[in-house]
Amino acid sequence: MSLFTERDNQGHEAGAGGNFPSAQLSLAHALPPKSVTDSAAVSRKQARIGGFADRYHEWREHASLRLSGIDLAPDLARDIGSRRWLRGVGTLVGLSALALAAFPGFSEVEAAPSMVIDDHVRDEFRSQMIMPLALGADSGRRMGATQAVIPLTNAPERPRLDMVATLAQGDSFERMLRRAGVSQDEAGEIARLIAGAMPPSEIQSGTQVDITLGRRLASGAPRPVDALSFRARFDLQLAVERQDGRLVLNPKPIAVDATPLRIRATVGDSLFRSARAAGAPAASAQKFLRVISAEMNGDIRAGDEFDLIVDYKRAATGEVDEGELLYAAILRDGRPVKRMMRWGREGRYFEASGVGEQREGLLAPVPGAITSRYGMRRHPILGYRRLHAGLDFRAAQGTPIYAVTDGRVTFAGRNGGHGNFVRLSHAGGLGTGYAHMSRIAVSNGQQVRRGQVIGYVGSTGLSTGPHLHYEMYRNGQTIDPSTVRFVTRAQLEGRELADFRAQLDLLQRVEPGAALAPLAPDPAFVDEPAREIDRLENRQRIPA
């Protein structure tokens, strides 16, 4: 029997071991069966991932292996231009953008004060500053007294008192002086002096009187009047002064320039706004609209020219007095379409031909063209045909709305599709209604006059834009407003007509804007204070 056999023969002789080398067979016989091995592996795996720390460790290793294969930050010095290199460039750009976004700023940082300063502490600091002390300690606080301060037994009175008294409505000049502390004798004497210069009834209520009271002649006696002055009229200032121990009236006339103010410009989208933009006073612009709209029935177009002249006075002291509207005209293509001038004691307006303005007829409620008339029509919002019970006037937002004639307000408020609505009751069973207002200027039950502003154009309620919906009623039923028209006019003749035309020619010579030229101040009324402290208003105001 041979000691060595072939490897194939040895494998066959192993029987069940199969076609394996002898070393492998020995290892297979040493290992436990497969089922036992798998069961032990599962037990070990459950024990390994049983805790949170083990699961987190396993996830971290798994993630590390995955991320390491991505290779987001390769060496950019190698493989330039390849996909791996481009991926590295993208990583560099993203990290750079993130760093720039988180870059800190260099703005100033407010440092916290060493102590908390609230409003009370700040006011205490301000009261000790030099500036408020120089201006009379306007903070109302004073420094605390030191040992060097000796209290006074009796505090002396001020050598004089400066005060301002207001003449109230229904008050007399003498009673106003007594209320300010003037003795009865001096109050009566001053009232007699002023009555000798002008009637006391012509002094308007609300006039402010500057009064200076001097030192008392005896303890408990009223202070004497050292000086008194007030604006008696636009062109006159009255002053009462003490000379040689007695009161003397000193009238001071004020230079006044009475050049009328003439404004001429082009009509834009709104005649009222165009007049105001050109410099016309608000009251004069409204009066201009009432006079012109009554005559032209709203036939005023954009591009027309308006021409108005206002009674205008300028005082040398700087005040301005705006008077009545003297002249109103509309020009089209350089030619006058309508010219109206104020004439007579009643202040009526007449055309250039001498025909008076419409006085008893119905005014146009707004200076605008009619865009929709009375009758059946398709409603622009509701979409079906129904009666349009009025007239629609084109007007800009905020245009004043006037009462067409005298009447009483029977309704003022919100009224369904009419929005802000005002209804007036007139004589003869007539009534008028004004709808879609932006603002109402009257109240329920109020009596209104012809041409009075009762509201302003808007677009409230069922409305597609700013306009005025105007209705008229007879015995409570709506009627077509265009069928009602009453006109009565006056006619100038003879000498009165000649004087009227002469005054009209005189007004035509007024240059536009001539009244706005600077006026030299009157040196007698220029009084600049010599010291800064004298600029303070220390006058005591006496309640009316």
Side-chain angles (χ1 to χ4, degrees):
M1 185 176 183
S2 174
L3 294 176
F4 302 97
T5 59
E6 292 181 357
R7 189 173 289 179
D8 292 337
N9 295 334
Q10 186 179 2
H12 289 289
E13 292 177 357
N19 192 15
F20 292 98
S22 58
Q24 293 180 355
L25 290 176
S26 299
L27 181 60
H29 287 291
L31 292 175
K34 182 177 181 181
S35 61
V36 177
T37 304
D38 293 342
S39 176
V42 170
S43 298
R44 286 194 303 272
K45 184 176 182 180
Q46 290 179 350
R48 184 171 62 253
I49 64 175
F52 175 78
D54 295 336
R55 290 198 300 273
Y56 171 74
H57 180 71
E58 183 176 357
W59 172 83
R60 186 172 62 85
E61 289 186 351
H62 180 71
S64 299
L65 291 175
R66 293 291 300 272
L67 292 176
S68 62
I70 297 177
D71 194 15
L72 293 176
D75 187 1
L76 297 180
R78 301 177 60 185
D79 299 334
I80 297 175
S82 63
R83 293 181 60 184
R84 181 171 177 269
W85 182 84
L86 292 175
R87 186 168 60 248
V89 171
T91 302
L92 176 62
V93 172
L95 293 177
S96 300
L98 181 62
L100 291 176
F103 194 74
F106 294 96
S107 59
E108 297 181 357
V109 179
E110 183 178 357
S114 58
M115 60 179 294
V116 178
I117 301 178
D118 55 10
D119 294 339
H120 178 72
V121 175
R122 189 177 293 107
D123 189 55
E124 290 289 343
F125 285 162
R126 193 175 68 88
S127 66
Q128 306 300 326
M129 294 170 60
I130 296 176
M131 183 179 65
L133 290 176
L135 297 178
D138 62 344
S139 65
R141 302 181 182 275
R142 295 173 173 80
M143 294 184 178
T146 64
Q147 295 180 355
V149 176
I150 302 175
L152 296 175
T153 305
N154 293 318
E157 289 186 333
R158 293 184 178 181
R160 74 174 192 178
L161 288 179
D162 295 326
M163 58 186 62
V164 177
T166 303
L167 183 64
Q169 186 174 4
D171 199 1
S172 66
F173 207 87
E174 182 177 355
R175 189 161 50 246
M176 178 202 64
L177 295 177
R178 291 297 308 277
R179 193 168 57 249
V182 180
S183 65
Q184 183 175 359
D185 295 340
E186 289 193 342
E189 182 179 358
I190 293 173
R192 287 190 296 271
L193 290 173
I194 292 178
M198 63 177 298
S201 59
E202 294 184 4
I203 304 177
Q204 297 181 358
S205 59
T207 300
Q208 293 187 342
V209 181
D210 294 333
I211 304 173
T212 300
L213 301 181
R215 191 187 299 273
R216 300 179 194 271
L217 300 178
S219 178
R223 289 176 176 267
V225 176
D226 281 352
L228 179 147
S229 66
F230 66 99
R231 189 71 168 267
R233 291 195 306 264
F234 189 72
D235 59 348
L236 177 64
Q237 182 168 348
L238 293 180
V240 176
E241 301 172 352
R242 186 172 294 276
Q243 298 179 3
D244 299 330
R246 64 189 189 90
L247 296 174
V248 178
L249 180 65
N250 181 17
K252 299 179 180 179
I254 301 173
V256 173
D257 179 77
T259 303
L261 174 61
R262 185 174 189 178
I263 298 176
R264 185 170 178 175
T266 304
V267 179
D269 295 335
S270 168
L271 177 56
F272 177 79
R273 292 183 179 177
S274 300
R276 293 288 289 141
S284 301
Q286 290 185 357
K287 186 67 175 179
F288 179 84
L289 286 176
R290 288 197 294 267
V291 172
I292 290 297
S293 61
E295 298 297 322
M296 300 191 63
N297 295 322
D299 185 22
I300 302 175
R301 310 170 186 173
D304 292 347
E305 287 187 274
F306 64 90
D307 189 5
L308 62 92
I309 301 178
V310 181
D311 187 14
Y312 197 75
K313 296 179 181 179
R314 295 178 297 157
T317 53
E319 293 85 2
V320 173
D321 183 22
E322 301 167 358
E324 293 289 341
L325 177 70
L326 302 179
Y327 174 80
I330 292 293
L331 296 88
R332 185 170 297 159
D333 298 330
R335 297 181 178 180
V337 178
K338 182 68 65 174
R339 294 193 298 169
M340 306 292 294
M341 191 186 79
R342 182 183 175 91
W343 182 256
R345 295 181 179 179
E346 297 181 359
R348 301 181 67 173
Y349 290 86
F350 291 81
E351 294 182 3
S353 60
V355 179
E357 66 171 335
Q358 173 185 326
R359 296 290 288 185
E360 298 180 4
L362 299 183
L363 284 173
V366 293
I370 297 176
T371 58
S372 182
R373 295 189 174 273
Y374 185 92
M376 297 296 296
R377 70 166 188 178
R378 183 181 183 85
H379 196 278
I381 295 180
L382 300 179
Y384 57 85
R385 289 179 58 82
R386 71 172 189 175
L387 176 65
H388 182 238
L391 302 177
D392 286 346
F393 287 85
R394 180 189 296 116
Q397 179 85 11
T399 301
I401 302 173
Y402 307 107
V404 296
T405 188
D406 298 347
R408 182 175 62 87
V409 181
T410 58
F411 181 85
R414 195 80 179 183
N415 186 25
H418 284 153
N420 292 332
F421 181 73
V422 170
R423 183 165 180 166
L424 304 180
S425 175
H426 310 288
L430 292 178
T432 54
Y434 312 80
H436 307 310
M437 294 183 176
S438 62
R439 182 164 63 90
I440 297 175
V442 292
S443 57
N444 197 16
Q446 179 180 344
Q447 294 288 337
V448 297
R449 303 290 296 176
R450 179 177 182 270
Q452 180 177 339
V453 177
I454 60 175
Y456 299 89
V457 171
S459 184
T460 57
L462 294 177
S463 171
T464 58
H467 72 285
L468 171 66
H469 175 77
Y470 169 65
E471 296 182 350
M472 181 170 285
Y473 319 97
R474 178 178 283 123
N475 299 325
Q477 300 296 322
T478 60
I479 60 175
D480 187 353
S482 61
T483 62
V484 179
R485 184 177 181 85
F486 305 96
V487 179
T488 58
R489 296 175 181 268
Q491 177 69 50
L492 298 178
E493 297 177 350
R495 182 63 182 176
E496 189 176 13
L497 179 59
D499 294 341
F500 171 81
R501 290 177 175 174
Q503 180 66 20
L504 181 60
D505 293 338
L506 186 62
L507 288 179
Q508 295 300 311
R509 300 173 188 173
V510 177
E511 293 293 333
L516 300 179
L519 187 64
D522 193 340
F525 294 93
V526 178
D527 186 16
E528 292 292 336
R531 300 180 302 168
E532 183 67 24
I533 194 172
D534 292 335
R535 296 179 182 270
L536 296 177
E537 181 61 47
N538 294 323
R539 293 183 178 272
Q540 177 185 358
R541 294 191 174 272
I542 306 301

